[in-house]
Amino acid sequence: MTPFQDSFGRSVTYLRVSVTDRCDMRCVYCMSENMEFLPKAEILSFEELERICAAFIRSGVTRLRVTGGEPLVRRDIGSFFSALGKYIHKPGEGGHLEELTLTTNGSRLSLHADMLRRAGVRRVNVSLDSLDFERFSRITRRGRLDQTLEGIRAARNAGLAVRINTVAMAGVNDDEFDALLSWCGEIGADLCLIETMPMGETGEDRTDRYLPLSTVRADLARRWTLEPLSLRTGGPARYMRVAETGRLLGLITPMTHNFCESCNRVRLSCTGQFYTCLGHEGATDLRRPVRDGVDDAELLTLVHDAIGRKPKGHDFVIGRRPDDPAAIRRHMSVTGG
Ligand code: SAM
Ligand code: SF4
């Protein structure tokens, strides 16, 4: 099969798959309080999702991240992980995965950590924006910090490497980055700070919350020794080592730093919409063709064509209102972070 390459010469090797739009939390930057979720019939079955993933793997996708919504709320999610796990490290005609990963809010991680390890997952990203119980529940609107902490413990006990994802929000959690760095050092996890992206209507104004990570980094550097690294893990984070803890600090800066020039990522939504850029509305429907019974060659032609149209970059601008034609109306939970 021909490997995926876009018109700017970027190879596409990384697929993020959202398995559900549903979630047991309603984080203020991600969802509105009263979300309407999609009817089940619109959501791809695990068989349909696996079929599409297999076609991508045959065409050179070697890293696959399962995300959502909250992937671990989908019933029988273990069967999907074990199906994908079969593609790990099996070079051959059908292609293979070098890495299978997960992004989760951690609420149900303690129930699934051993299953993930057995399926071949070796590292997970867990979202956690505060170590303060009350603040955590305010940000997530209905999350419980103790459950997420229990999930992180279970993941570490199961032998999974953990990266904590924290969305940096001015006036909300910007007084906690030192505490988060220390805590990550203690539990043996890496920390990744993420700039707020203007996606979807959340019922909150994100303009005041926006915090450029260049400022955060300069501030942290006054108290911590941050050694820049060239390490990349396939995603958009730029890493440095925190000398005092030995752990990594990653920064995802879609707003201040244009991370598009080296973008190798594409996304599949839980309804089979194929997105080649998080920051553009355009998508290619793969559900209809799959349900109409196209063969793999036809499916891959659609995917190759879409990748050929992958935009050079996004144009997020914080402060855009959802009714601004240039704003991204889609919630992050549709395509997954
Ligand atoms: N529910 C899982 C979780 O929270 O980890 C997976 C899906 S969630 C959409 C994936 C990541 O996107 C999370 O780390 C979350 O913090 C991040 N995210 C969601 N909305 C965002 C936004 N508007 N800007 C920046 N990051 C966002
Ligand atoms: Fe749910 Fe994750 Fe979105 Fe929070 S960030 S509402 S946990 S999908």
Side-chain angles (χ1 to χ4, degrees), residues 32 44 68 93 100-101 132 164 199 216 287 292-293 300-301 337:
S32 61
L44 294 183
E93 271 291 284
L100 175 62
T101 52
D132 177 85
I164 302 296
M199 295 187 68
V216 174
R287 184 180 63 193
D292 284 348
L300 282 171
T301 301

Side-chain angles (χ1 to χ4, degrees), residues 41 49 53 73-74 143 160 167 173 189 200 219 252 297 305 329 332:
L49 279 168
C53 291
V73 301
R74 182 155 173 183
L160 301 172
V167 175
N173 63 354
D219 179 53
I252 299 187
D305 288 352
R329 283 176 290 276
M332 184 77 113

Side-chain angles (χ1 to χ4, degrees), residues 127-259:
S127 303
L128 180 143
D129 301 324
S130 175
L131 287 169
D132 177 85
F133 279 74
E134 203 259 325
R135 188 182 279 182
F136 182 92
S137 63
R138 223 177 320 124
I139 296 172
T140 60
R141 292 200 183 104
R142 57 184 72 172
R144 283 184 37 197
L145 178 61
D146 53 329
Q147 288 179 342
T148 295
L149 294 179
E150 186 52 40
I152 293 167
R153 247 189 313 273
R156 299 289 296 122
N157 288 343
L160 301 172
V162 172
R163 186 183 92 180
I164 302 296
N165 276 355
T166 301
V167 175
M169 290 168 278
V172 176
N173 63 354
D174 50 352
D175 57 349
E176 277 199 69
F177 303 147
D178 288 302
L180 280 162
L181 268 185
S182 301
W183 174 73
C184 282
E186 282 159 28
I187 65 162
D190 296 327
L191 176 67
C192 191
L193 299 177
I194 307 174
E195 283 175 354
T196 317
M197 288 176 251
M199 295 187 68
E201 179 48 55
T202 60
E204 299 259 328
D205 183 0
R206 278 168 292 212
T207 320
D208 295 344
R209 299 275 165 80
Y210 172 62
L211 183 59
L213 291 184
S214 46
T215 315
V216 174
R217 178 186 176 158
D219 179 53
L220 288 174
R222 286 198 231 137
R223 294 175 300 285
W224 302 86
T225 316
L226 305 177
E227 301 159 352
L229 298 173
S230 55
L231 169 85
R232 301 300 294 268
T233 55
R238 315 261 154 156
Y239 287 99
M240 52 210 90
R241 186 172 301 284
V242 184
E244 288 78 1
T245 64
R247 304 304 313 185
L248 302 187
L249 169 65
L251 301 180
I252 299 187
T253 57
M255 309 304 291
T256 49
H257 181 278
N258 198 317
F259 59 13

Side-chain angles (χ1 to χ4, degrees), residues 16 18 20 22-25 27-31 65-72 102-106 125-129 163-168 192 194-200 202 206 252 254 278 331-337:
R16 295 195 176 191
S18 171
T20 179
R22 288 171 164 71
C23 187
D24 51 354
M25 299 189 191
C27 302
V28 290
Y29 45 77
C30 178
M31 291 194 181
R65 176 173 294 280
V66 176
T67 177
E70 174 47 42
L72 299 183
L102 162 76
T103 303
T104 174
N105 65 26
N125 289 356
V126 184
S127 303
L128 180 143
D129 301 324
R163 186 183 92 180
I164 302 296
N165 276 355
T166 301
V167 175
C192 191
I194 307 174
E195 283 175 354
T196 317
M197 288 176 251
M199 295 187 68
T202 60
R206 278 168 292 212
I252 299 187
L278 190 58
H331 285 98
M332 184 77 113
S333 51
V334 172
T335 32

